[in-house]
Amino acid sequence: MTTLNTPERGTATGTGDRSGPRAALPALCATQITSWGIVYYAFPVLNPQITSATGWPTGATMAAFSLGLVVSALAGIRVGRILDHRGPRAVMTAGSALGTVSLLIVAAAPNLLVFFTGWALAGIAMAATFYQPAFAALTRWWAPDHIRALTIVTLAGGLASTVFAPLTALLADHLSWRATYLVLAAILAAITVPAHALALNAPWPKATPSPQHTHVQAAAVARSRPFWMLAAVFTLSAFAMYAVVVALVPLLLERGYSTAQAAWLLGIGGAGQTLGRTLYATLARRTTATARTTSLIALGGLTTAAFAAVPGPYALLIAVSVIAGMVRGNLTLLQATAITDRWGTAHYGRLSGLLAAPAHTAAALAPFAGAALAVPLGGYGPLFFLLATISVAAALIAPWTATGAVRHRFPGPDNRSIPCRRRRSGHSEE
C-alpha cells in the first residue's frame, strides 16, 4: 500500500510497506548502547584517574577527546556518502573494529602524542558507529515507518551512560585506567563487531523517491538556502545545548548546591530526555517540520533562561531539568528526521553527514567555550542567559528552513480530499 506523506510532516514518504532485516533493530539498540557507553561516556569517568596517573594536564586530555569529536564530525561527511551507496554493514563493522583498535592505542599511550592519535582514530570510529549510520540504516530500511524505529534506537542509546558509567567506575575501582580501557575494548569488540557484521547483512535497497521527491538532487539541496539555514540552526542549537549540559553542575555549585544535588539534577535531565523521545512520534504527526524545529529550539532556549533566572527551590529546578531533558531528547530525533521531512530518503546519508558536521563540531567545542566565556561574563548565570539568547537566535532562523510548497490535496480515509503541502512540480526548493 502506497503511503503518501507531506514533505513537511513527521514521516518520510515511501513507495510501499518496507521493513529492514529482522535482527537489525535489536542489534542496533545493543550496539548503540555499547558504542556510546564505551567510546564516549567512559572517558569522563576515567579522565580524573588518567590525569592523576600520568601527570598530563586535564586540559590536554580533554583536548584529545574533543579532537575525536571534531574528527567524527568531519569524517561523517564521507561516511554519509558511503552509506548511501553501500549501506551500513561494512561501514559499521569496520568502525567497530577501528573503535577497538583506537581504545587499545589510548590504553597503551606512553605520551600525549599517541593519546591524541588514539582519540583521532576513535573519532573516525564514532562517525562510523554512532547515531548517524544507524539512522541512515533505519531510514532506508524502515521508511515510511522510520520514526518508530529511530525512537526505539535512541531510547536504547539513552541508556548508554546508565549502563557504562557505573560499570566503568566499578572497573576503575579495581583496575588501572589502562586496564579498564583494555576490558572495555574487549567488550566493544565482542558485542559490536559480530552484531554489525551478522545483523546488517540484508541487501541494501535502492532509495526510491516518492512523487514529491523524484527530482531531488543532493548537490542542489546542499546549495539551497533552506539547507544552509537548517545547518545554522542546528549548529547554534548544538553549541547552546552541549554548553548547558556541561555547565549545569558548575552553575549549581556556584549557587551553593552540593555536588550530589547537582549530579542528581543532571541525571534527572537524562530521564527527561528518555521521556521526551517517547513523545516525538505524536509531535511529528501533529506539526510541520518547520514549526517543530522552531518550537523545540525556542523551548530549549526558555529552559536555559529558566536555569539562569531561577535559583531555587530545588524542586522547581528539578521540574526545569526534566523539561529541558525532554526538549533535548526531541532534538535528537528532530535532527534525525530533518532531511527526510524536507527532501526524502534518497540522499539521506550524504545530506545528513553535511548537515551534522558543523553541529557536531560546535558540540565538541562548546564545553571549552562555555567555561572560557563564564569568566569574562562574571559567572555561570550570565553564561546561561547568553546561551539562551543563542537558542532564541536559532529559533528565529528556523522558519527559513522551510522548503517551497504549494497547496495540494489527496484522498483522506473517508475518500474526501484533504489539504496537505507539496513542493512545486515535485521539486524541493533549490
Side-chain angles (χ1 to χ4, degrees):
M1 176 180 177
T2 301
T3 302
L4 178 64
N5 297 308
T6 171
E8 282 279 309
R9 302 302 293 185
T11 57
T13 56
T15 58
D17 292 333
R18 302 172 67 185
S19 61
R22 183 174 300 178
L25 188 55
L28 287 173
C29 288
T31 60
Q32 288 303 300
I33 293 173
T34 307
S35 297
W36 277 97
I38 291 176
V39 183
Y40 187 91
Y41 286 109
F43 175 77
V45 177
L46 291 175
N47 195 42
Q49 191 179 122
I50 293 173
T51 56
S52 176
T54 62
W56 299 336
T58 300
T61 56
M62 286 295 297
F65 183 67
S66 291
L67 172 65
L69 299 178
V70 173
V71 169
S72 174
L74 299 177
I77 298 173
R78 178 58 181 167
V79 167
R81 289 174 176 263
I82 297 172
L83 287 166
D84 278 340
H85 295 290
R86 300 184 183 179
R89 185 188 185 192
V91 169
M92 299 191 78
T93 303
S96 297
L98 182 60
T100 301
V101 172
S102 69
L103 293 185
L104 294 177
I105 293 173
V106 167
N111 52 52
L112 278 171
L113 178 60
V114 178
F115 191 76
F116 270 75
T117 301
W119 280 112
L121 293 175
I124 300 174
M126 292 180 205
T129 57
F130 278 10
Y131 279 145
Q132 181 186 333
F135 288 165
L138 296 172
T139 298
R140 181 73 66 90
W141 272 325
W142 268 266
D145 193 30
H146 59 291
I147 287 183
R148 181 181 65 87
L150 293 172
T151 301
I152 292 171
V153 166
T154 54
L155 287 173
L159 297 174
S161 61
T162 305
V163 173
F164 280 96
L167 176 60
T168 301
L170 179 63
L171 290 171
D173 285 340
H174 298 87
L175 302 169
S176 69
W177 71 271
R178 296 182 188 276
T180 298
Y181 260 133
L182 291 176
V183 173
L184 293 175
I187 296 172
L188 182 70
I191 294 176
T192 63
V193 174
H196 289 148
L198 299 176
L200 306 181
N201 60 351
W204 188 234
K206 182 179 179 180
T208 306
S210 57
Q212 57 265 61
H213 298 125
T214 300
H215 302 288
V216 170
Q217 296 181 0
V221 170
R223 292 193 302 266
S224 67
R225 185 183 69 180
F227 185 86
W228 282 102
M229 292 295 100
L230 193 62
V233 167
F234 285 154
T235 299
L236 292 173
S237 175
F239 179 87
M241 181 175 68
Y242 280 90
V244 165
V245 169
V246 174
L248 182 59
V249 170
L251 172 71
L252 295 172
L253 295 178
E254 187 177 78
R255 290 178 172 174
Y257 290 96
S258 68
T259 302
Q261 287 175 312
W264 272 106
L265 200 68
L266 185 61
I268 288 169
Q273 186 168 302
T274 300
L275 175 62
R277 287 170 178 167
T278 66
L279 304 176
Y280 185 79
T282 299
L283 179 66
R285 286 194 298 269
R286 299 186 178 188
T287 60
T288 66
T290 303
R292 194 158 61 250
T293 303
T294 304
S295 59
L296 283 173
I297 292 176
L299 186 56
L302 289 176
T303 60
T304 301
F307 277 126
V310 178
Y314 189 69
L316 181 56
L317 290 175
I318 288 176
V320 174
S321 185
V322 170
I323 295 172
M326 292 175 67
V327 173
R328 289 198 305 272
N330 277 281
L331 284 173
T332 300
L333 289 167
L334 179 74
Q335 293 181 39
T337 57
I339 297 298
T340 52
D341 285 343
R342 294 167 174 81
W343 298 288
T345 63
H347 308 289
Y348 180 88
R350 178 181 177 183
L351 293 175
S352 64
L354 289 170
L355 185 65
H360 288 174
T361 302
L365 300 177
F368 288 101
L373 289 170
V375 176
L377 289 173
Y380 283 92
L383 171 66
F384 270 60
F385 276 120
L386 174 62
L387 296 175
T389 302
I390 292 173
S391 290
V392 170
L396 292 175
I397 298 172
W400 295 93
T401 67
T403 53
V406 295
R407 302 295 293 178
H408 179 69
R409 305 180 75 85
F410 67 95
D414 57 357
N415 292 322
R416 296 186 215 171
S417 291
I418 52 178
C420 71
R421 294 170 67 83
R422 185 176 179 180
R423 292 177 178 80
R424 297 182 181 93
S425 304
H427 293 269
S428 61
E429 182 178 348
E430 300 173 358

